[in-house]
Amino acid sequence: MPERAEVVSARALDVLYQKTDKVYYEFARGCGLSETAYWILYAIEVSGGHAAQSVIATEFSYSKQTVNSALKSLEAKGLVELSFAEGSRRSKVVSLTRAGRAFSDARIVPAIEAEDRAFSSLTARERAEFLRLARAYTDAIDRELAGIAQKGEGK
């Protein structure tokens, strides 16, 4: 029986994004983490074991409150510690503890490696095109939704 033709629409893309989000949600839960906590550990790992709290919030589009809440959970588990950035009394750096390093080696690093293998299964041209198109769509939807928000504020 032939497969149903895939509908090419923004809705199809929304469904795909939701499926991807669900994959990460379930993986994070399987690690005993919230999604935010997972992505914080991910950010710390790809940054070499420590990352500025503000950079994590910016790169993952999280509010400061969301990051703070997840960090408290990670601190309570003994996976991260916070310290002030050198020469600052406000900016904080998040670092893996010894237990955090072990956790990351067991759970986060294998996930990153799996992502790399999945992405590498595409050709170099496909990878470049995928990133180009995803960036173009993200920029376009950002502009469109910003325009709607501005119209709503002008009422």
Side-chain angles (χ1 to χ4, degrees):
M1 184 165 141
E3 287 188 35
R4 191 176 65 162
E6 186 173 335
V7 177
V8 178
S9 70
R11 255 69 42 229
L13 184 58
D14 291 343
V15 169
L16 185 57
Y17 278 137
Q18 290 300 320
K19 286 181 180 179
T20 303
D21 283 346
K22 184 178 179 189
V23 167
Y24 284 103
Y25 170 82
E26 290 176 355
F27 186 80
R29 289 292 179 202
C31 293
L33 302 170
S34 69
E35 279 184 277
T36 305
Y38 169 80
W39 288 114
I40 287 172
L41 290 178
Y42 183 105
I44 295 167
E45 181 59 47
V46 299
S47 296
H50 56 276
Q53 186 174 349
S54 60
V55 171
I56 293 169
T58 300
E59 286 185 354
F60 288 91
S61 300
Y62 289 135
S63 70
K64 289 179 184 179
Q65 296 86 348
T66 299
V67 172
N68 284 335
S69 177
L71 284 173
K72 286 181 195 247
S73 168
L74 290 169
E75 279 184 300
K77 292 177 187 248
L79 300 177
V80 300
E81 58 189 7
L82 281 93
S83 58
F84 287 105
E86 191 174 318
S88 175
R89 291 180 173 222
R90 293 186 61 193
S91 299
K92 291 190 176 179
V93 173
V94 186
S95 302
L96 294 173
T97 61
R98 185 172 294 186
R101 168 53 47 215
F103 184 91
S104 185
D105 287 346
R107 299 298 195 118
I108 307 302
V109 171
I112 292 169
E113 291 170 347
E115 283 179 331
D116 288 343
R117 287 190 304 275
F119 197 64
S120 292
S121 72
L122 303 173
T123 67
R125 178 172 279 150
E126 289 170 332
R127 291 189 302 266
E129 185 69 357
F130 179 79
L131 291 174
R132 185 188 71 75
L133 291 171
R135 191 173 295 113
Y137 179 75
T138 300
D139 291 346
I141 195 65
D142 186 44
R143 284 190 306 274
E144 291 293 327
L145 293 177
I148 292 169
Q150 287 176 348
K151 286 178 185 175
E153 291 172 1
K155 286 185 177 180

